[in-house]
């Protein structure tokens, strides 16, 4: 089985912990579903959040989904002028037999504008 990477992002409407849990949970669920994955296929997940998000760690949403034995880490995205605000990004490392070209990268809502080339 190969190690693959799955990208994704979601833009939050507001900096609120419950909203972050909901939106990041939806993003992770979509990543798993669109790629036919379970939590057992996850190796690790990197989360980044734009500097305007302070309410919680995005990884907390993964734990609430039951992803409890996968290494998770959060980092702050670069503070680039003109960048889309309130965005959480994920980079999930997975085990999969799928060819790299068949991996579904998931950009929800307005975040689809970030990567029109790979957004599903």
């Amino acid at each position: 089985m190969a190690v693959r990477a799955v990208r994704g992002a979601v833009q939050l409407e507001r900096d609120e912990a419950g909203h972050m849990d909901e939106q990041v949970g939806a993003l992770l669920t979509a990543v798993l579903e669109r790629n036919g994955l379970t939590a057992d296929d996850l190796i690790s997940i990197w989360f980044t959040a734009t500097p305007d998000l302070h309410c919680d760690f995005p990884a907390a949403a993964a734990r609430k989904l039951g992803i409890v034995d996968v290494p998770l880490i959060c980092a702050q995205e670069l503070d680039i002028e003109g960048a889309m605000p309130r965005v959480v990004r994920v980079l999930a490392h997975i085990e999969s037999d799928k060819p790299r070209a068949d991996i579904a990268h998931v950009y929800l809502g307005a975040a689809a504008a970030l990567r029109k080339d790979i957004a599903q």
Side-chain angles (χ1 to χ4, degrees), residues 3-91:
V3 174
R4 300 285 184 228
V6 184
R7 292 283 317 268
V10 65
Q11 183 182 38
L12 278 60
E13 294 175 16
R14 58 194 175 279
D15 185 22
E16 179 182 284
H19 181 61
M20 180 180 285
D21 284 346
E22 175 185 297
Q23 294 300 305
V24 174
L27 175 61
L28 292 173
T29 298
V31 165
L32 293 173
E33 288 177 355
R34 293 183 192 179
N35 287 288
L37 302 169
T38 68
D40 288 338
D41 299 314
L42 297 170
I43 296 169
S44 64
I45 306 175
W46 278 82
F47 295 89
T48 64
T50 51
D52 51 1
L53 293 174
H54 307 279
C55 63
D56 202 358
F57 295 100
R63 300 292 184 219
K64 290 176 183 169
L65 284 179
I67 301 172
V68 296
D69 61 350
V70 175
L72 308 175
I73 192 165
C74 298
Q76 189 175 72
E77 194 71 35
L78 294 173
D79 190 10
I80 304 298
E81 187 174 326
M84 184 179 287
R86 300 177 316 283
V87 174
V88 174
R89 291 172 173 85
V90 299
L91 174 62

